[in-house]
Amino acid sequence: MAEPITIKDIANLCGVSIATVSRVVNNSPKGVGEKTVERIRKVIEEVGYRPNRLAQSMITKVTHTIGLVIPDVRNPFFSELVRGVEDVCNENGYSCFLCNTDGKLDKENEYIDILRDRVVDGLLFTTQNDKEFNPAFLDFHKNRTPLCFIERYVDELPETPGVFFDNEGGAALLTQFVLDKGHRHIAFVSGPLSTMNARMRKSGFMATMQNNGVEVDDRLVVEGNYKLDSGYAAVDQLLAPGKPKFTALIAGNDLMALGAYQALVERGYEVPNDISIAGFDNITYPAVFRPLITTIEIPGYKLGSCGTQMLIAQMKGQPLAVTRQVFAAALRDKGSIIQI
């Protein structure tokens, strides 16, 4: 197998110093004649030389790579978010190192160690299910590593840029829509209450019920984990003997709503004629059940792209017009909530 072409080989072929070739390769040919630059670039093209980016990064301390830490790559919402991140990275000449934690703090810490070793130029963190604050954030902050949070509420670093969704407002909008359809006995399946966005959605639900003079039965409020199986399991809890009847179910995200939908159908209930269902995220999923689930749209792609733009601006030392952007809620009525 032939040895790879090195920068020394290019210098020998062109009859110039290694330093001169290095300047041309790194697009900073100050002090190098125009004809010499053209000759070096022609030789590079002819021999197919590709610079060793890892070696370059050890010298420049710039890797043109960002780290993205998410809790669940299987969730279609995070898939959209990742697309937003990757598209902005590609447009700006950056690579994205994706880390999936499964919502576990110990796995997040393992990835943080890896990201430290890779010396990424910046980091994006989104929600996970154990704790939103990680002491490692303070180390990154101390070392001036650019950070941006996406739907991750870290009170200990209030000045760190972030992009967020109006979770409380979205829950209020959805709950009011269900109430306006005449429903008064409404079950609610929250996300993991260790996360701020789950607490905000529950708060929006509770406040809207109270504002409409509707008492919330605590037996109809269940905590899930934002995953399909927890929505399915929630139905078993809600339909247990002695539990009050309900005509509608609001889930903290669409995956849990889909799990609840499946459980209800398997138990002989018709959606929405027997029980109406609503969720959050407006994810794309196979149309196994009809109607589709009425939902609050959370713009995962925009959250990812906006957060990445904020992060890249930090990495380039550019001032941010805003350090905290909040996206408004939008209701998508797909027919799974009926008038009663």
Side-chain angles (χ1 to χ4, degrees), residues 307-318:
T308 308
Q309 288 165 358
M310 280 187 173
L311 183 66
I312 290 175
Q314 289 183 76
M315 294 189 298
K316 292 181 176 180
Q318 299 170 351

Side-chain angles (χ1 to χ4, degrees), residues 30-316:
K30 186 177 180 180
V32 182
E34 186 176 336
K35 289 185 178 180
T36 302
V37 171
E38 289 178 3
R39 186 168 77 254
I40 291 171
R41 286 176 176 165
K42 184 179 179 182
V43 170
I44 286 173
E45 184 177 352
E46 288 174 349
V47 301
Y49 169 72
R50 293 179 62 84
N52 186 327
R53 296 301 180 191
L54 179 60
Q56 285 182 326
S57 68
M58 292 175 68
I59 297 170
T60 64
K61 305 301 182 183
V62 176
T63 64
H64 290 94
T65 303
I66 68 167
L68 170 61
V69 182
I70 66 171
D72 187 2
V73 73
R74 296 170 299 179
N75 185 329
F77 168 77
F78 289 109
S79 298
E80 279 298 299
L81 188 151
V82 171
R83 281 292 303 275
V85 172
E86 286 189 327
D87 284 353
V88 174
C89 281
N90 291 338
E91 290 167 6
N92 288 273
Y94 285 86
S95 299
C96 175
F97 186 77
L98 178 62
C99 307
N100 177 65
T101 69
D102 292 321
K104 297 176 180 176
L105 189 60
D106 57 348
K107 194 170 180 182
E108 178 171 282
N109 284 327
E110 289 175 11
Y111 274 123
I112 285 174
D113 288 340
I114 293 170
L115 291 169
R116 282 193 180 112
D117 292 341
R118 287 181 64 91
V119 198
V120 292
D121 298 337
L123 291 160
L124 290 167
F125 284 91
T126 189
T127 295
Q128 50 87 33
N129 295 342
D130 294 333
K131 284 183 179 178
E132 301 214 60
F133 172 67
N134 188 323
F137 295 159
L138 297 178
D139 293 336
F140 287 125
H141 183 68
K142 188 184 301 181
N143 294 328
R144 298 185 179 180
T145 302
L147 294 176
C148 184
F149 295 126
I150 303 177
E151 269 297 283
R152 185 157 180 168
Y153 300 78
V154 180
D155 293 338
E156 290 82 354
L157 293 171
E159 296 181 3
T160 298
V163 289
F164 306 92
F165 174 72
D166 182 8
N167 291 286
E168 198 162 7
L173 179 62
L174 183 58
T175 305
Q176 190 63 57
F177 179 79
V178 176
L179 288 168
D180 289 345
K181 293 288 188 179
H183 296 273
R184 292 297 179 268
H185 304 287
I186 305 173
F188 185 79
V189 183
S190 78
L193 296 176
S194 58
T195 59
M196 179 63 79
N197 57 19
R199 294 196 296 272
M200 286 178 168
R201 292 174 197 179
K202 181 178 179 181
S203 175
F205 166 76
M206 300 290 283
T208 306
M209 295 285 279
Q210 184 178 10
N211 293 340
N212 282 269
V214 180
E215 185 176 351
V216 177
D217 192 319
D218 290 339
R219 294 172 295 174
L220 293 180
V221 179
V222 177
E223 182 178 354
N225 63 7
Y226 280 150
K227 296 182 180 180
L228 190 81
D229 57 357
S230 72
Y232 189 99
V235 168
D236 281 336
Q237 296 182 55
L238 293 167
L239 296 179
K243 289 292 185 77
K245 294 185 179 299
F246 55 97
T247 62
L249 182 152
I250 296 175
N253 77 343
D254 285 344
L255 281 183
M256 293 193 300
L258 282 168
Y261 202 144
Q262 180 183 350
L264 288 169
V265 170
E266 289 180 1
R267 285 153 183 75
Y269 290 87
E270 186 178 340
V271 177
N273 294 332
D274 295 326
I275 296 178
S276 293
I277 289 184
F280 265 80
D281 289 346
N282 193 30
I283 63 173
T284 301
Y285 54 88
V288 177
F289 299 121
R290 290 286 184 176
L292 298 178
I293 295 171
T294 293
T295 185
I296 291 294
E297 181 174 11
I298 303 180
Y301 183 91
K302 287 185 178 179
L303 285 166
S305 59
C306 181
T308 308
Q309 288 165 358
M310 280 187 173
L311 183 66
I312 290 175
Q314 289 183 76
M315 294 189 298
K316 292 181 176 180

Side-chain angles (χ1 to χ4, degrees), residues 20 23-24 26-33 37 41:
T20 298
R23 291 193 190 99
V24 175
N26 290 302
N27 294 316
S28 56
K30 186 177 180 180
V32 182
V37 171
R41 286 176 176 165

